[in-house]
Amino acid sequence: MNKQSNTYTIIYAVVLVLIVGVVLSVVYQALRPQQEENIANDKKRQILAAALITPSEGETISELYEQHIKASFIVNSKGERIDDGIDPFSVKVDQEVKKPADDRLLPVYECSTDAGTKYIVPVYGAGLWGPIWGYIALDSNGETIYGAYFAHQGETPGLGAEIEKPAFSTQFEGKDIFNASGDFQSVKVVKNGQEPSEGAYVHAISGGTITSQGVQKMLQNSLEPYTAYFKSLENKEKTN
């Protein structure tokens, strides 16, 4: 075949593309288990971070998760456990928050800490430039926040992106999510000088108003469907 012909050039290009495609496919399949493990470990790290647990030198996230997460399960908006074989770890929270509260699968992670048993739930919402998410750990009374972890996809560095910093997340520690009447009342995120006269609140990120508002809406939308379950924890605490 004439190597200077158009036909040869086209055949050569097609064969080269096929070879490269096969090689990339093989590499992807070979690396996929490691990628999935890394994604799972990062999620475990976030869950543990909400309970203020971080690995020490020599500890792996997987080992730490197995050590502290004693149970995981799914509840519905009535506070009832759902035993349908679905792994709580695999629930796509970004899809669940779009559903009516009564239709949602609500994952719960029971965590053992030096400060007692904590219950961790996921939260998911929207910031200024993209999704924001995190985990909230509650005391065994189902009312008081023990710890919080937040992350984002593309918020502005130095502004909205500050939600992932401890200076913001630690404000939530010790805040109650029920008012004096026993009704659910999520934590408000407010500007300095605009503190409400009642109800739990934290201060917003300076210059990150929309992201801060996104955190408040995320907590309201994600936590309220758990109200019945949180109440059951409170009742359990009182009877023990």
Side-chain angles (χ1 to χ4, degrees), residues 188 190-199 201-203:
K188 297 181 177 65
V190 301
K191 294 181 179 180
N192 282 310
Q194 297 184 3
E195 294 82 1
S197 58
E198 59 181 32
Y201 68 87
V202 301
H203 288 117

Side-chain angles (χ1 to χ4, degrees), residues 24-40:
L24 290 176
S25 178
V26 170
V27 171
Y28 172 76
Q29 292 298 327
L31 295 178
R32 186 175 179 180
Q34 184 62 50
Q35 292 173 337
E36 292 178 345
E37 182 180 353
N38 290 341
I39 292 172

